[in-house]
Amino acid sequence: MPDDAAAPEARKVLKVALLGCGTVGSQVARILLEDGDALAARSGARLELAGIAVRSLDAKRDVDLPRELFTDEAEALVDSADLVVELMGGIEPARSLILRAIRKGASVVTGNKALLAQDGPALFEEADRNNAELSFEAAVAGAIPIIRPIRESLSGDRITRVLGIVNGTTNYILDQMDTTGAAFADALAEAQRLGYAEADPTADVEGHDAAAKAALLATLAFHTPVSLDDVRCQGITNVTAEDIAAAKDSGFVIKLLAIAELVRWGDDDGAEGTSVRVHPTLLPREHPLAAVRGAYNAVFVEAENAGQLMFYGAGAGGRPTASAVMGDLVSTARRVVAGAPGRTDTATRRLPMAGVEGIFTSYSIGLEVVDQPGVLSRVAAVFAEHGVSIEAMRQTLDDGVAGPGTSRAELRFVTHRATEKALAETVADIKNLDAVESVTSVLRVEGV
């Protein structure tokens, strides 16, 4: 009987060490235990769950699993395994355990975006030296297959831009604000009630989670090391119900976007570099990403030959994320069975990060001004002084303040694309105008 037709029990056995048994880890363990025969047929080896390393042996689990699988001896478990799945999160001891596995030649599957954003290049180089593989589909967008398409399907193309909604918590909050008119605090509370947001939602709402994912996407897409410190990051805590309503009135929706792009600046198009940033962004409602609702994620990729591609799906949750982990695990097992070398993600070049003079974008700027003759012309003059042209302007009078010369107006401008430097200087100078009471919002605009 040919090897590929052998019964599952006759196939090679690969011992799998699972580090962590939270929402995702428990689902990975369940799949390994329940779907053993199907996984063996797909991978060419029986994937045997050798053990599950946890901090507390008595903690309550999301899935009922055999108690004898649990251990608090993570290093010993790693040493006994052929493949390691790391779902502990955090930097340590995850980093040390991953390195321990790699240095003995065991390939690793991880969903640890924070660790990869901080130490990814060093871990990839270590894996390359030891003929091991470090896979991380689950680290970016839950169930969405985005890492493998960038690594493999688009490896013969030149990716120029990646932008996406990569955090389900913030997308749910902004979607609630858009569809129900809820204030930020109320939408956040509902996200926490439904389990979309943690008790401490800082990493999500301040954009740190999305920034770590943006660093990973940029590293892969542009073949250059990008760390978390390279990502310009702004969260959604300052987005108000008034911002949402004004965006809706103008045909826009606000999304927290992760944006990574190749850019050039300076004379004669200058040198090529990268810009990686996370911030609330106005999108036209007809843009494909504008229709991404609830806690879903989507990633939009632009490549020179493939054109525009969009990947959409569940961005979080135990089962969807476990699906991404298992895809990596089966793929890695196939490679081990075939005796193929580990796949490398070491950078092939080092591109500079663009400063504010190299980032081109559009702004939506909200102002509260004294309603008196000449205010609009003075504001427009500041735009012109910095070479920023206005695409659209909207004015709303505040009738709540009576008396000649004392009423207020709200002005909202959408600019044409200009450098981040010019736009920031424009806003700074507008703030200094006597007739401007306050700058109520500054949001970037994409897709126009």
Side-chain angles (χ1 to χ4, degrees):
M1 180 181 294
D3 289 345
D4 59 0
E9 60 270 16
R11 290 192 175 97
K12 179 181 179 69
V13 174
L14 295 177
K15 293 185 176 181
V16 179
L18 177 58
L19 309 181
C21 195
T23 301
V24 179
S26 61
Q27 293 297 332
V28 168
R30 177 189 62 78
I31 294 170
L32 284 168
L33 294 173
E34 291 182 358
D35 299 340
D37 289 347
L39 294 171
R42 295 169 196 160
S43 63
R46 177 161 289 279
L47 303 180
E48 177 184 292
L49 182 55
I52 308 170
V54 293
R55 293 183 176 89
S56 171
L57 296 175
D58 299 319
K60 185 178 179 181
R61 313 294 173 193
D62 293 340
V63 177
D64 186 20
L65 299 167
R67 185 174 177 80
E68 61 269 20
L69 286 173
F70 292 95
T71 178
D72 54 8
E73 299 291 336
E75 291 185 351
L77 180 61
V78 167
D79 290 344
S80 71
D82 301 299
L83 302 171
V84 174
V85 178
E86 184 277 307
L87 297 170
M88 306 173 75
I91 305 302
E92 289 291 354
R95 181 180 184 277
S96 295
L97 291 169
I98 288 174
L99 285 172
R100 188 182 187 94
I102 286 172
R103 285 168 179 163
K104 80 181 197 71
S107 290
V108 177
V109 175
T110 181
N112 197 329
K113 53 190 169 287
L115 175 60
L116 292 174
Q118 175 178 302
D119 293 323
L123 293 173
F124 295 138
E125 288 174 7
E126 192 69 22
D128 193 31
R129 280 194 292 270
N130 290 275
N131 193 30
E133 188 165 327
L134 180 57
S135 301
F136 52 96
E137 187 69 69
V140 171
I144 300 174
I146 183 62
I147 300 301
R148 202 171 290 114
I150 290 176
R151 274 173 138 185
E152 298 176 6
S153 302
L154 295 172
S155 60
D157 208 334
R158 183 174 185 269
I159 296 173
T160 57
R161 198 162 190 250
V162 179
L163 68 160
I165 297 165
V166 294
N167 182 273
T169 299
T170 52
N171 199 56
Y172 177 83
I173 291 170
L174 292 172
D175 186 46
Q176 284 293 106
M177 294 174 72
D178 180 67
T179 56
T180 72
F184 170 81
D186 294 332
L188 171 59
E190 180 66 6
Q192 290 172 319
R193 186 186 72 80
L194 294 172
Y196 294 142
E198 302 287 346
D200 179 2
T202 303
D204 293 321
V205 299
E206 294 295 347
H208 305 317
D209 174 84
K213 296 170 180 178
L216 287 175
L217 288 170
T219 296
L220 289 179
F222 307 139
H223 311 289
T224 186
V226 177
S227 73
L228 185 58
D229 292 338
D230 294 322
V231 183
R232 298 172 181 272
C233 183
Q234 178 186 346
I236 67 169
T237 54
N238 292 326
V239 177
T240 66
E242 290 76 18
D243 290 329
I244 298 287
K248 183 180 288 190
D249 287 345
S250 300
F252 289 91
V253 64
I254 298 177
K255 300 289 187 181
L256 183 72
L257 291 190
I259 302 172
E261 57 190 349
L262 294 177
V263 296
R264 292 184 182 275
W265 66 96
D267 297 335
D268 299 323
D269 287 334
E272 187 173 64
T274 61
S275 165
V276 188
R277 57 195 192 274
V278 169
H279 48 66
T281 308
L282 277 83
L283 284 172
R285 287 190 175 261
E286 60 271 18
H287 192 282
L289 290 175
V292 179
R293 305 287 302 278
Y296 276 73
N297 283 187
V299 180
F300 203 73
V301 179
E302 298 177 10
E304 284 189 348
N305 298 301
Q308 297 180 333
L309 307 167
M310 192 170 92
F311 302 82
Y312 168 85
R319 285 174 177 258
T321 308
S323 171
V325 172
M326 293 306 302
D328 275 345
L329 189 59
V330 169
S331 176
T332 301
R334 286 175 181 159
R335 182 193 66 78
V336 173
V337 170
R343 180 175 48 188
T344 178
D345 281 299
T346 52
T348 58
R349 56 180 178 170
R350 291 186 176 272
L351 296 176
M353 300 302 300
V356 291
E357 72 282 354
I359 300 172
F360 285 81
T361 187
S362 300
Y363 272 14
S364 169
I365 305 168
L367 309 176
E368 186 176 81
V369 302
V370 177
D371 183 28
Q372 58 185 219
V375 171
L376 184 56
S377 63
R378 276 179 276 167
V379 172
V382 175
F383 281 99
E385 180 182 344
H386 292 282
V388 177
S389 61
I390 298 169
E391 180 177 346
M393 191 277 289
R394 188 183 186 92
Q395 176 175 302
T396 305
L397 292 177
D398 181 357
D399 297 327
V401 181
T406 63
S407 62
R408 301 290 185 269
E410 182 184 52
L411 303 179
R412 285 189 178 264
F413 297 89
V414 175
T415 74
H416 286 286
R417 285 172 64 84
T419 66
E420 184 87 15
K421 182 175 186 291
L423 289 163
E425 290 174 348
T426 300
V427 173
D429 285 353
I430 286 174
K431 286 181 180 179
N432 293 327
L433 293 176
D434 292 340
V436 174
E437 297 286 317
S438 65
V439 176
T440 56
S441 70
V442 177
L443 294 168
R444 291 160 183 84
V445 183
E446 292 289 336
V448 295

